[in-house]
Structures are given as structure tokens and as C-alpha cells.
Amino acid sequence: MIAVPAYPLKAGRVQDWEKPGVAVPTPYVEALQRAGALEAILMPVAIDDGDAGAILDRFDGLLLLGGGDLHPEEYGQDRRQTVYGVVPHRDRFELALARAAVARGVPTLAICRGHQVLNVALGGSLDQDITDRAGVPDHGKPGVPGGSSVHDIELDPGSRLAEAMQVTQATCSSHHHQAVDRAGDGLRVTARARDGVVEGIELHGDAWIVGAQWHPEDTAADDPAQQRLFDTFVERAAAR
């Protein structure tokens, strides 16, 4: 059973819905189900670390999804004009869950925004915008139909990402304009794009806690290496 914090939806985002809702893009769920897991969709609310621990005690793993930007105040910076899609209660919900997962050793797969949440939860910082920067090729455009960009990444041999995917180089789908800057406490960088942008992080120690800046769910149905990342995550959750 995998805890999956959902995207909050404003009223009117779904036809004929008069009230707000929550949702999870289908590719994440399909990748989990192919791996043999059952997803539990959680509505984001503002919680503290104690509440987050009580929630996670009910589950075997945590999947943190993509989405809008974290508010830069969460990592001690002023907000720039390029920051978009901030939902403060979602930030607080996911940051608390990430810290609780680390404290309890709950297997965690953190994707795109989730990868950034994991980093910030442990005291790391983000580069607020890498778009159009010299030497940094296109990493896609988040929140735009058809905004994904496909590029190669290099994975450190022996890292959890490389062991899970059974490759040291992968072709990945991305749509992000931010990236990890300073790695959080206890995290090490385990994958980069060829332009140097951080694409993978993982927690030191025995817990299987991994972040992927790209979107493995985008291509997991057709790319065995991407699906193996979900398979390994679910195996670790089931073993715990």
C-alpha cells in the first residue's frame, strides 16, 4: 500500500464539479499497479511532523509526485517571477511526509517536484529557474501540453537508481524549470544530465529513499528501465 499525496484542484477544474478536488495523473498509478502495488490517494492538508508520522505508519511506501513549485521561503530564498503553481498547504503536507519517511526509513520514490521536496525537507536548496541558461539544454516546460523534453542522464554505478533501473545511462522524459542546487543533509547526488543538472539523489544509509528529477512514469509502459524503478520501489516497500 503506497501513500500518494495528490494534486489539489481548484473549483471548476473538472467539468460539472462545483467544489475543489484532488487528483493524481494516471501514469503514476498505472506504473505502481504494474509493479503490484495498491495506491492510496491522500488529500494535502497542513500538518506537522507528528501528524505525518501517524499517517505514514499506515503505509508501506511513499510516492511524491510532480506539480507546481515549492514556495522559495521553504529554502530561505525570495520568490522570483518565474515561480509558478505554489500551493502552501501542499508544500507543508509533503515536506512533513518526506521528513517522516526519512525518520522512519519508509521506502520513498520522489519524482520531479517530489525530488525537490525531498531535498528541501532535508535542508537543501533549489535553483529557481534553469530555463534559457547558457549551457543548459531544454529540460521541458512544466504545466504545458506537449511540454516534455527527452534527454539522456548518467547514473552513478552502484547507486540505488542504477541498481533499480539496471543501467548507468537512461533516456528520460523531463518537464521542469527548477533543479536541486545544494543537496540536503544526508543526501548524495547519484545522477546528472550531461549539462550537469542534478537528476537523481538518494539518502545515505539503509533506507531506500530516492529522488528522480525526470518523469519515469511518462515512459514506464514502454521502457523497461523506467518501469524497473517502480518495481524496485514496490519491492522495497513490500519487504519492509
Side-chain angles (χ1 to χ4, degrees):
M1 179 76 76
I2 306 299
V4 186
Y7 288 63
L9 299 178
K10 294 180 181 179
R13 286 288 300 277
V14 179
Q15 185 175 352
D16 297 328
W17 282 22
E18 296 180 355
K19 296 183 179 181
V22 296
V24 171
T26 300
Y28 293 105
V29 176
E30 291 175 337
L32 284 177
Q33 292 182 347
R34 284 193 298 269
L38 181 64
E39 75 287 351
I41 309 304
L42 305 182
M43 183 173 74
V45 293
I47 57 174
D48 61 23
D49 288 5
D51 294 331
I55 291 170
L56 279 190
D57 285 343
R58 305 181 181 190
F59 299 102
D60 304 305
L62 172 65
L63 178 65
L64 294 171
L65 309 183
D69 295 337
L70 281 162
H71 198 297
E73 69 183 7
E74 299 291 353
Y75 47 96
Q77 295 183 13
D78 294 331
R79 181 173 179 171
R80 300 179 187 172
Q81 291 184 344
T82 54
V83 170
Y84 85 104
V86 172
V87 182
H89 66 274
R90 184 185 184 192
D91 291 352
R92 292 192 290 272
F93 187 62
E94 294 182 356
L95 288 165
L97 286 174
R99 288 190 293 265
V102 169
R104 286 162 169 73
V106 175
T108 299
L109 177 57
I111 293 173
C112 196
R113 167 194 157 90
H115 160 96
Q116 297 168 9
V117 166
L118 175 61
N119 188 59
V120 171
L122 294 178
S125 65
L126 304 179
D127 186 331
Q128 290 190 41
D129 192 46
I130 62 172
T131 308
D132 299 327
R133 183 168 300 168
V136 178
D138 185 20
H139 282 252
K141 295 178 175 59
V144 176
S148 63
S149 175
V150 176
H151 62 87
D152 290 340
I153 66 168
E154 303 288 338
L155 299 86
D156 288 353
S159 66
R160 291 190 173 97
L161 276 170
E163 290 176 350
M165 298 174 70
Q166 300 176 23
V167 295
T168 56
Q169 178 178 315
T171 300
C172 300
S173 172
S174 292
H175 26 106
H176 65 99
H177 78 114
Q178 298 190 331
V180 165
D181 183 13
R182 184 185 69 254
D185 296 339
L187 293 172
R188 69 184 185 101
V189 175
T190 57
R192 291 184 184 269
R194 291 177 176 174
D195 54 26
V197 170
V198 174
E199 294 283 347
I201 54 177
E202 65 183 51
L203 187 69
H204 285 287
D206 295 331
W208 199 93
I209 296 178
V210 170
Q213 180 61 76
W214 74 97
H215 281 269
E217 80 286 355
D218 280 357
T219 55
D222 302 309
D223 184 343
Q226 305 294 342
Q227 181 60 41
R228 284 194 294 266
L229 181 54
F230 289 94
D231 295 344
T232 302
F233 165 52
V234 171
E235 288 170 5
R236 295 296 184 274
R240 179 177 180 274

